[in-house]
Amino acid sequence: MSLIYLISAYRQPQQLARLVTRLQQPGVRFLIHVDGRVAIEPFTDALPERANVQFVRDRQRVYWKGFSQVRMMLALLRAAQTLPFSYAIYLSEADYPLRTNSAINHFFEQQPPELISYWTFTDRPRWGHKLRYYYFHDTPWINPRQSQVSYRLFRLYNRSVKYLLPRRTPPRGPIPYGGSEYFSLSHQAITYLIDYVNRHPFRLRWYRYSDSPIEHFFHTILLNAPFRNRIIHVDDYQQWSQQLTASERAASAEMLPEQAFHFRYMDWSGLDGSGLDGSDLGSRERPAVLDERDFTALTTTNALFARKFDGDRSAVLLDRLDQWLNTNPSASRLPLFC
């Protein structure tokens, strides 16, 4: 069993080094994409290249929700395709394992399905705007995360201007699917993705002006692929979709928790719980930056990995997780397919 970790990084060089050190073992490779908008030297200083640690040379300037995220992923996938591996696991610098390396190895030695979360756009109509309207997230002055001015300009565009532009119609053929950007895919699936993109450049161009295409471009390709029956929960999802009316599907919770598809723990609740001293800490980010309050949830979950971790805010939690991974037998248990 040979694994390759595809990692995106842009802000936390020390946290990236800690993640790679935790996952380091014989036979494992790491391909790392550092955002082209930041200097790479802090990352290469924290994590020098070696035989199994390589920084991708095709660095993209990545903007939140932009098509540049797809280009970043393609840079990782194309670099990985030329290397031998059984499964490619996509992580960010804000991720961390919840199982020992031996448990992760044993999990993938079972030759699990392609692990990616998904749903059709008809089952999640609130996502329809991502394909229907023009978005320009790779334009810095209108990207909502670049500055207060760009945030205000984006709000103006999103609330009024976009409705004045022509509606967009997806290319004929594949049924649109969407889901989380995080995955664990076989070499065959990665090769298929690259070959498909090479053979259908017009589809790549069309997604350039969609919203968060990294959350639906690759999903649409894979869920319409000849081997779609190898993707996790395909039959279960189809059965769920057929049992409910369109309005029931749109109003219902996820058919299964997202974690059951890609085995990543994320807290999307927005709920704060309480501080360690019982104080009310207010609402949390979505997804939450994890801290000591989350230790029990992380050590009892069925996931392989978790996010988001911040090197400063999550420091105590990360130390506790390292100790747990090093000493607790339950850290070596295999996650169960739900």
Side-chain angles (χ1 to χ4, degrees), residues 23-281:
L23 293 170
Q24 186 73 253
Q25 61 175 311
V28 167
R29 291 176 179 267
F30 300 88
L31 283 177
I32 302 164
H33 179 279
V34 176
D35 191 334
R37 295 189 298 145
V38 302
I40 197 172
E41 287 76 16
F43 296 88
T44 54
D45 290 345
L47 182 67
E49 283 197 310
R50 62 197 80 157
N52 69 330
V53 177
Q54 178 183 345
F55 287 87
V56 174
R57 301 299 187 261
D58 182 16
R59 295 174 61 202
Q60 302 295 316
R61 296 175 62 86
V62 181
Y63 293 91
W64 181 62
K65 300 186 74 168
F67 186 74
S68 52
Q69 291 183 303
V70 172
R71 290 197 296 265
M72 174 272 294
M73 184 64 71
L74 287 172
L76 284 168
L77 296 179
R78 286 179 171 132
Q81 187 190 16
T82 63
L83 301 171
F85 66 89
S86 301
Y87 283 89
I89 302 167
Y90 174 57
L91 303 173
S92 78
E93 65 187 1
D95 295 19
Y96 212 67
L98 302 179
R99 293 293 190 278
T100 62
N101 286 335
S102 61
I104 295 172
N105 284 344
H106 291 156
F107 178 86
F108 285 101
E109 283 171 358
Q110 299 177 83
Q111 296 186 332
E114 310 292 348
L115 303 181
I116 186 170
S117 66
Y118 56 87
W119 51 76
T120 64
F121 273 62
T122 53
D123 286 345
R124 291 291 178 270
R126 66 178 180 271
W127 273 43
H129 71 94
K130 295 177 180 289
L131 301 178
R132 190 177 303 124
Y133 300 106
Y134 283 91
Y135 290 91
F136 304 94
H137 296 307
D138 287 324
T139 304
W141 58 266
I142 200 174
N143 186 289
R145 286 198 175 179
Q146 295 309 297
S147 67
Q148 284 295 324
V149 172
S150 66
Y151 173 72
R152 293 191 181 99
L153 288 173
F154 172 76
R155 289 187 66 184
L156 173 65
Y157 175 81
N158 197 46
R159 291 181 174 184
S160 58
V161 176
K162 75 177 183 183
Y163 298 109
L164 303 177
L165 300 178
R167 296 286 184 95
R168 306 178 74 228
T169 302
R172 290 185 178 182
I175 299 171
Y177 282 82
S180 168
E181 66 191 86
Y182 295 94
F183 61 73
S184 300
L185 298 174
S186 68
H187 196 289
Q188 178 187 357
I190 299 297
T191 299
Y192 182 86
L193 283 172
I194 297 301
D195 289 347
Y196 186 95
V197 169
N198 291 340
R199 289 185 288 106
H200 301 87
F202 69 95
R203 294 193 186 277
L204 194 67
R205 290 193 297 269
W206 188 88
Y207 279 90
R208 181 177 178 183
Y209 298 109
S210 60
D211 181 56
S212 302
I214 198 170
E215 296 179 345
H216 48 90
F217 176 73
F218 298 105
H219 306 70
T220 298
I221 296 173
L222 289 173
L223 269 298
N224 288 275
F227 56 85
R228 70 184 302 272
N229 62 313
R230 288 207 351 254
I231 297 174
I232 191 168
H233 297 314
V234 161
D235 292 337
D236 294 333
Y237 180 82
Q238 185 174 1
Q239 182 179 11
W240 171 86
S241 184
Q242 292 173 347
Q243 287 175 344
L244 302 178
T245 66
S247 59
E248 289 172 335
R249 294 194 302 271
S252 71
E254 301 296 341
M255 183 266 299
L256 289 173
E258 186 179 22
Q259 174 182 308
F261 287 80
H262 54 42
F263 290 80
R264 269 83 168 165
Y265 177 96
M266 290 180 268
D267 181 357
W268 288 96
S269 69
L271 302 176
D272 61 299
S274 59
L276 297 179
D277 59 357
S279 60
D280 184 356
L281 298 181

Side-chain angles (χ1 to χ4, degrees), residues 279-290:
S279 60
D280 184 356
L281 298 181
S283 60
R284 305 180 79 179
E285 306 92 339
R286 289 171 51 89
V289 174
L290 304 172

